[in-house]
Amino acid sequence: MTLTQALAKHKLAKHSQGSSNAKPAQTGLWVAQVLRTCINDGELVPGAKLSEEVLGQLLGVSRNTLREAFTALSAERILTRIPNRGVFVAAPTAEDVREMYRVRRVLEPSALAAPNPLSEQALAALVQVTEAGLAARSRADTPGMANANQEFHKLVVALASSTRLDALMAQVLAEMRLVFHAMAKDPAFHGRFVLENATITALLVQGSRVQAGQAMAGYLDRAEAELLAAIVA
């Protein structure tokens, strides 16, 4: 067992509580969610190999169930299967990052600038998550800033009121979690964009939706450039 597997086993034990109550038809979905959570939390890092034997013993599930979960997460681009080597947590490439940002440039600026009415509830949610990000920044809480940033962008796309776009954005954000590992040595990365979130939210509060969309376009350009520089370095 590698160090990564040992750490994963220690952490995954927390998530395994209550697994015995899962219905058989839901077990594969539950395992996928456990692994998704561990990857999002940084407990399983890009490039980590997932041992069927270790995970099966730890979670108390069969190899078939694990393979169902692996298939689901591979479709989400969170895991990758390498022939004759096994299953690994995906490690996004520079081209993967470019593709994610192509998608985000279509989704986020247009959601902000859309002419549909902006509800008070949606605006309040954006204000709340923006304030949470600023509070995390004030206490140098990098995970808190990262979580607030993810939630902010999720709420931005939700302004379009489309369940299909929400689902697409959820997949992109899951992949983005993997990309953010490249910024581990730059804790200020999230802090810079927390401030930009506040600028965009302020524009929305003022009713300046077109300007908010324009600000997001520039924001995404800068974020992509920083991430690509970190991956290539």
Side-chain angles (χ1 to χ4, degrees), residues 10 19 32 35-36 47 75 78 86 96 99 111 116 122-123 157 160 163-164 195 204 230:
H10 172 70
S19 62
L35 295 175
R36 191 181 292 111
I78 295 174
D96 290 328
E99 177 65 13
N116 60 302
L123 185 56
V157 172
T163 55
R164 288 178 174 84
L195 293 176
L204 290 176

Coordinates of all heavy atoms in Angstrom, one line a residue, residues 10 19 32 35-36 47 75 78 86 96 99 111 116 122-123 157 160 163-164 195 204 230:
H10 N -7.3 6.2 5.6 CA -7.6 6.8 6.9 C -8.7 7.8 6.8 O -9.6 7.9 7.6 CB -6.3 7.6 7.4 CG -6.5 8.4 8.6 ND1 -6.8 7.9 9.8 CD2 -6.6 9.8 8.7 CE1 -6.9 8.9 10.7 NE2 -6.8 10.0 10.0
S19 N -22.6 3.3 5.6 CA -22.7 2.7 4.3 C -23.5 1.4 4.3 O -24.1 1.0 3.3 CB -21.3 2.4 3.8 OG -20.6 1.5 4.6
A32 N -19.5 6.3 -5.6 CA -19.1 7.4 -6.5 C -19.0 8.8 -5.7 O -18.1 9.6 -5.9 CB -20.0 7.5 -7.7
L35 N -16.0 8.9 -3.3 CA -14.8 9.2 -4.0 C -14.8 10.6 -4.5 O -13.7 11.3 -4.4 CB -14.6 8.2 -5.1 CG -14.4 6.7 -4.7 CD1 -14.4 5.9 -6.0 CD2 -13.1 6.5 -3.9
R36 N -15.9 11.1 -5.0 CA -16.0 12.5 -5.5 C -15.7 13.4 -4.3 O -15.0 14.4 -4.5 CB -17.4 12.7 -6.0 CG -17.5 14.0 -6.8 CD -19.0 14.2 -7.3 NE -19.3 13.2 -8.3 CZ -20.2 12.2 -8.1 NH1 -20.8 12.1 -7.0 NH2 -20.5 11.4 -9.1
G47 N -3.5 12.0 -10.1 CA -2.4 11.0 -10.3 C -2.4 9.8 -9.3 O -1.7 8.8 -9.5
A75 N -16.7 9.1 -16.7 CA -17.6 9.8 -17.6 C -17.5 11.3 -17.2 O -17.7 12.2 -18.1 CB -19.0 9.3 -17.5
I78 N -13.3 12.8 -13.9 CA -12.6 12.9 -12.6 C -11.6 11.7 -12.4 O -10.6 11.9 -11.8 CB -13.7 12.8 -11.5 CG1 -14.6 14.1 -11.6 CG2 -13.0 12.8 -10.1 CD1 -15.7 14.1 -10.6
G86 N -4.4 0.4 -14.4 CA -5.4 0.6 -13.4 C -6.1 1.9 -13.5 O -6.1 2.6 -14.5
D96 N -6.8 20.3 -21.3 CA -8.0 20.2 -20.5 C -8.4 21.5 -19.9 O -9.6 21.9 -19.9 CB -7.8 19.2 -19.4 CG -7.6 17.7 -19.9 OD1 -8.3 17.4 -20.9 OD2 -6.9 17.0 -19.3
E99 N -10.0 23.7 -22.5 CA -11.3 23.3 -22.9 C -12.3 23.7 -21.8 O -13.4 24.2 -22.1 CB -11.3 21.8 -23.0 CG -12.7 21.2 -23.3 CD -13.3 21.6 -24.6 OE1 -12.6 22.2 -25.5 OE2 -14.5 21.4 -24.8
A111 N -24.7 34.1 -18.7 CA -25.6 34.0 -17.6 C -25.7 35.3 -16.8 O -26.8 35.7 -16.4 CB -25.2 32.9 -16.6
N116 N -33.1 38.0 -18.6 CA -34.1 37.5 -17.7 C -34.0 38.1 -16.3 O -33.0 38.5 -15.9 CB -34.0 35.9 -17.6 CG -32.7 35.5 -17.0 OD1 -31.6 35.8 -17.5 ND2 -32.7 34.8 -15.9
A122 N -31.8 34.9 -5.7 CA -30.6 34.6 -6.4 C -29.5 35.6 -6.1 O -28.3 35.3 -5.8 CB -30.8 34.6 -7.9
L123 N -29.9 36.9 -6.0 CA -28.9 37.9 -5.7 C -28.4 37.8 -4.3 O -27.2 38.0 -4.0 CB -29.5 39.3 -5.9 CG -28.6 40.5 -5.8 CD1 -27.4 40.4 -6.7 CD2 -29.4 41.8 -6.0
V157 N -23.9 30.5 -13.0 CA -24.6 29.8 -14.0 C -26.0 29.5 -13.7 O -26.9 29.5 -14.6 CB -23.8 28.5 -14.3 CG1 -24.5 27.6 -15.3 CG2 -22.4 28.8 -14.8
A160 N -29.0 31.5 -15.2 CA -29.6 31.1 -16.5 C -30.9 30.3 -16.4 O -31.6 30.1 -17.3 CB -28.6 30.4 -17.4
T163 N -31.5 23.7 -15.9 CA -31.0 22.5 -15.2 C -29.9 21.8 -16.1 O -29.0 21.3 -15.5 CB -32.1 21.5 -15.0 OG1 -32.8 21.1 -16.2 CG2 -33.2 22.0 -14.0
R164 N -30.0 21.9 -17.4 CA -29.0 21.3 -18.2 C -27.6 22.1 -18.1 O -26.6 21.5 -18.0 CB -29.4 21.3 -19.7 CG -30.5 20.2 -20.0 CD -30.9 20.3 -21.4 NE -31.8 19.2 -21.8 CZ -33.2 19.3 -21.6 NH1 -33.7 20.3 -21.0 NH2 -33.9 18.2 -21.9
L195 N -11.8 38.7 -4.5 CA -12.0 40.1 -4.7 C -12.7 40.4 -6.0 O -13.6 41.3 -6.0 CB -10.6 40.9 -4.7 CG -9.9 40.8 -3.3 CD1 -8.5 41.5 -3.5 CD2 -10.7 41.5 -2.2
L204 N -23.9 43.5 -10.1 CA -25.2 42.9 -10.2 C -26.2 43.7 -9.3 O -27.3 43.9 -9.6 CB -25.2 41.4 -9.8 CG -24.5 40.5 -10.8 CD1 -24.5 39.1 -10.2 CD2 -25.3 40.5 -12.1
A230 N 1.0 27.8 -14.3 CA 1.3 26.9 -13.2 C 1.5 25.4 -13.7 O 2.4 24.7 -13.2 CB 0.3 26.9 -12.1

